[in-house]
Amino acid sequence: MGKQSRKRQKTSKEDVQPLGSSTVVDDADKDDEERQLESMLFGVPYVPSQKSDGKRRADDADVVVISDVEDGATERHLKELENMLDSDLFFIDDGAGSSSIKAPALDEGASEHDENESGADIAIEEEPLPHEPETVDDTAITESDPDDSNIQVSLTSHTRLRKLRDAPAEDTVGGREYERRLRRQYEQINPTPEWATKARKKSHPKRQRSTSGSEPEVEVDVEDIIPDLLASTGGISGGKKPKTLSPGIISVDRLRDANQAAPAEGEIKSLQFHPSPQIPILLTASTDRRLRLFHVDGLTNPHAQTLHIPSLPLTNAMFHPSGSSILLTGPRPFYYTYDLQSGTSHLWTSCAFNPTGDVLAIAGRRGHIHLVDWRSGAAQVVAGLKANAGIRSLWWSRSDRSGPGALLSLTEDAQVYVWDVGQRKCVKRWQDEGGFGSRLMGGDQGGKYLAIGSNIGLVNMYSADSALSLDVPKLKPLKTLGNLTTNISCLSYNHDAQLLAMASSVKKDQMRLVHLPSLTVFGNWPTTSTPLGHVTAMDFSTGSEYLAIGNNRGRVLLYQLRDYTGQ
């Protein structure tokens, strides 16, 4: 095919003037108003019309230019307006027939030009609605839209609005009343903090108004709080001692998962917060043979580090009491330690630390307990203990009467051995009441409580002092908690021994929170809708601000305890 020639576009020979050029087109049909508008929009010079004589017909404020081509009706209308007052020319339209808004009239001696030049806004005074008192409190609305009084809102039109009703039969309210009830509902859900209320009252002497309208206003002089705040080194909401928890109800908030930045690919076997309150680090050990460290801030919880150990299936991981290293154990005749400062790991042949971290007790086979000297750094076994049955659980006590700490071991036959580590002998042995397949033992940091969990979900609570005392040969539990029905797999205390978390990994959502002073279970949390799953590990943060819960799906749920955060 032959090449087709392109068609050239025809261009006009007329000169095209760009916008803003200096060329002025004087169109006789344009009036002065159109010329002024064209000058403002396009930037062309303004040239007045030659046919207008510029008659001035206005007062001191305005100048009106009238063209000769206008008819005589306009001139007669302007003459009528000259004899009218300014207050009759202008009014404020609020959209209602009878308005409660009054506009003050301008003084006869002052012109509109003077008012506009001053830049002052028109003050609108509003009369209070019949249902509102004459005086309102400090939280009342000072500025609002006048049209709000004409709005009618149906409180039964939407499910969320029904809670704003004062009576079941109430339906429609005005705009102002609707706004007032929304503010009331917000303040009920989000009350003003106590420190803010006190600071507001003491900020400066002010007039307290009565909301009833019947009591007179009273002048109350209070001292300024600013010098007190400047003289204090603590925060506004700080400096308070942790309050004693009340039984029955606890305030818990769900936060973003602690390991959301790096989820595990298997079941969470162990988790623990760093023992130092200045280091908000959480470790997690999972069945994918990985140890992960997270910086817990309650918001994003960033991932800090991952340690992969292919040769050791992790079943337990714990911080050294000093927080300098991590002990990793599993179903192998060896274990790892990871130095947090140097970032190196060590493997030793051949699990609870004593309170000082100097001695590590390892449960061996057939009732043997190996004592490892941790101070030497060579993992040397310095002594051994022997029970009559296999060891189920170990726990070190912090009791002063036992020196650096006594070692307690729970055996398969539900026997509790109290060991004197210095003398390498058992000083006391007692039977767990019931003997329902005892499998887990744990006590709090202060050495006040001792809990023993069984295979059928029962948890016996003992006094730790009675468990160690040689004067009490047979122990009776303080209480037996039967809130769970399957074998206990997790026991965790908070830092001040007011809370105990107990859980079972056999069934879904088998976890309870115990109020230790009253030995009762909190009834409001967790609920049936709390997505716990099969709980496999738990731990409280150093100050009990957070509770971390690991499950078999590799998630670490994070909850905030309001009673320990001051919220």
Side-chain angles (χ1 to χ4, degrees):
M1 296 177 62
K3 186 177 180 180
Q4 297 181 358
S5 59
R6 294 184 178 179
K7 295 182 179 180
R8 296 184 177 179
Q9 296 180 353
K10 296 181 179 181
T11 57
S12 176
K13 296 182 179 180
E14 299 179 356
D15 296 334
V16 180
Q17 297 293 337
L19 293 177
S21 62
S22 58
T23 304
V24 180
V25 180
D26 189 7
D27 193 349
D29 296 335
K30 297 180 180 179
D31 55 4
D32 290 342
E33 183 179 358
E34 185 175 357
R35 294 172 185 270
Q36 292 179 356
L37 181 61
E38 186 181 44
S39 175
M40 289 186 295
L41 292 178
F42 303 110
V44 297
Y46 168 67
V47 180
S49 175
Q50 299 179 358
K51 295 185 178 182
S52 61
D53 56 357
K55 296 182 180 179
R56 298 179 57 87
R57 299 179 180 272
D59 55 3
D60 298 338
D62 297 331
V63 177
V64 181
V65 180
I66 303 175
S67 177
D68 290 335
V69 296
E70 295 180 353
D71 53 5
T74 304
E75 297 183 1
R76 290 193 302 271
H77 182 65
L78 292 176
K79 290 181 179 180
E80 295 177 357
L81 297 177
E82 289 180 355
N83 299 325
M84 297 181 63
L85 298 176
D86 294 338
S87 59
D88 298 333
L89 293 174
F90 302 97
F91 70 96
I92 299 176
D93 186 8
D94 61 348
S98 59
S99 175
S100 61
I101 304 175
K102 299 180 180 180
L106 299 177
D107 296 338
E108 296 183 1
S111 62
E112 293 182 43
H113 179 74
D114 296 336
E115 290 292 331
N116 294 333
E117 287 289 339
S118 63
D121 297 331
I122 299 178
I124 302 177
E125 299 179 357
E126 302 181 5
E127 298 180 356
L129 298 177
H131 62 270
E132 293 183 346
E134 291 291 333
T135 57
V136 295
D137 56 2
D138 296 335
T139 60
I141 303 173
T142 56
E143 296 181 1
S144 58
D145 191 351
D147 293 336
D148 291 346
S149 60
N150 305 316
I151 300 176
Q152 297 295 324
V153 180
S154 176
L155 300 182
T156 59
S157 60
H158 198 280
T159 307
R160 295 183 177 180
L161 298 180
R162 294 179 182 177
K163 64 182 69 175
L164 302 178
R165 296 179 298 176
D166 293 338
E170 189 176 13
D171 183 8
T172 305
V173 296
R176 294 289 178 80
E177 177 66 15
Y178 175 66
E179 186 175 2
R180 187 183 66 84
R181 296 191 183 185
L182 285 177
R183 181 178 293 271
R184 181 186 63 185
Q185 181 70 14
Y186 177 82
E187 292 177 351
Q188 291 177 356
I189 300 176
N190 303 282
T192 305
E194 182 180 358
W195 64 265
T197 303
K198 293 181 179 179
R200 185 179 301 168
K201 290 181 179 180
K202 295 182 180 180
S203 60
H204 55 80
K206 63 181 181 180
R207 182 185 301 272
Q208 295 183 352
R209 299 180 178 180
S210 171
T211 57
S212 61
S214 59
E215 299 179 1
E217 295 181 354
V218 180
E219 287 282 348
V220 180
D221 295 336
V222 295
E223 61 181 358
D224 196 358
I225 197 176
I226 301 300
D228 297 337
L229 291 178
L230 296 178
S232 175
T233 58
I236 297 178
S237 60
K240 294 184 179 180
K241 296 182 179 180
K243 65 177 182 179
T244 303
L245 298 182
S246 301
I249 297 178
I250 188 170
S251 299
V252 180
D253 288 335
R254 171 77 184 276
L255 303 178
R256 178 178 294 183
D257 289 357
N259 67 337
Q260 185 172 353
E265 298 179 359
E267 177 181 329
I268 301 295
K269 302 298 294 186
S270 179
L271 60 86
Q272 185 186 4
F273 283 92
H274 195 277
S276 175
Q278 287 78 27
I279 305 177
I281 296 296
L282 173 69
L283 70 81
T284 64
S286 51
T287 54
D288 56 1
R289 306 192 182 192
R290 285 173 172 81
L291 173 75
R292 295 176 176 87
L293 301 177
F294 299 91
H295 180 85
V296 179
D297 58 1
L299 299 176
T300 59
N301 305 321
H303 174 230
Q305 193 176 11
T306 297
L307 180 64
H308 183 206
I309 308 174
S311 60
L312 181 63
L314 296 176
T315 58
N316 191 17
M318 66 179 72
F319 283 105
H320 187 267
S322 64
S324 60
S325 60
I326 301 174
L327 175 65
L328 308 171
T329 61
R332 296 290 187 271
F334 56 86
Y335 59 86
Y336 280 95
T337 60
Y338 180 69
D339 194 324
L340 293 175
Q341 296 179 355
S342 62
T344 58
S345 59
H346 304 276
L347 171 63
W348 286 302
T349 58
S350 146
C351 166
F353 283 104
N354 71 332
T356 59
D358 298 335
V359 180
L360 174 66
I362 302 175
R365 298 179 181 179
R366 294 182 292 273
H368 287 278
I369 301 175
H370 306 286
L371 300 178
V372 179
D373 184 10
W374 198 263
R375 294 172 295 180
S376 63
Q380 182 179 1
V381 178
V382 295
L385 306 173
K386 177 65 170 65
N388 296 332
I391 305 298
R392 284 281 191 174
S393 182
L394 297 171
W395 177 67
W396 287 90
S397 171
R398 294 176 180 267
S399 177
D400 295 335
R401 69 180 63 182
S402 302
L407 176 63
L408 279 73
S409 63
L410 176 66
T411 58
E412 295 177 349
D413 56 356
Q415 293 279 336
V416 178
Y417 289 72
V418 181
W419 301 94
D420 187 336
V421 178
Q423 299 181 10
R424 310 292 196 268
K425 68 176 184 179
C426 177
V427 296
K428 182 180 180 180
R429 184 173 64 176
W430 51 275
Q431 179 79 27
D432 180 28
E433 185 172 293
F436 302 111
S438 305
R439 65 184 309 271
L440 185 63
M441 177 177 59
D444 64 293
Q445 298 178 3
K448 186 176 181 181
Y449 297 99
L450 177 65
I452 299 179
S454 66
N455 289 332
I456 61 174
L458 297 179
V459 177
N460 290 331
M461 299 297 304
Y462 296 93
S463 170
D465 291 337
S466 299
L468 298 172
S469 176
L470 302 179
D471 300 332
V472 185
K474 187 176 180 180
L475 266 69
K476 284 288 185 181
L478 301 175
K479 188 174 183 180
T480 299
L481 304 174
N483 302 87
L484 301 178
T485 58
T486 54
N487 62 310
I488 303 299
S489 57
C490 302
L491 291 173
S492 180
Y493 294 84
N494 76 323
H495 76 287
D496 59 358
Q498 292 195 74
L499 297 176
L500 168 65
M502 57 182 186
S504 173
S505 60
V506 177
K507 288 186 177 181
K508 191 177 182 180
D509 301 333
Q510 291 293 296
M511 181 261 181
R512 296 294 182 269
L513 203 59
V514 182
H515 180 257
L516 288 177
S518 63
L519 293 177
T520 57
V521 174
F522 289 98
N524 68 317
W525 190 88
T527 64
T528 55
S529 59
T530 305
L532 298 177
H534 294 265
V535 178
T536 57
M538 299 179 300
D539 192 33
F540 291 91
S541 61
T542 308
S544 301
E545 300 91 354
Y546 303 109
L547 171 62
I549 303 175
N551 58 26
N552 62 335
R553 299 179 59 186
R555 298 178 58 187
V556 179
L557 308 178
L558 187 64
Y559 294 90
Q560 185 181 45
L561 305 181
R562 288 188 178 181
D563 296 287
Y564 290 97
T565 56
Q567 296 184 358

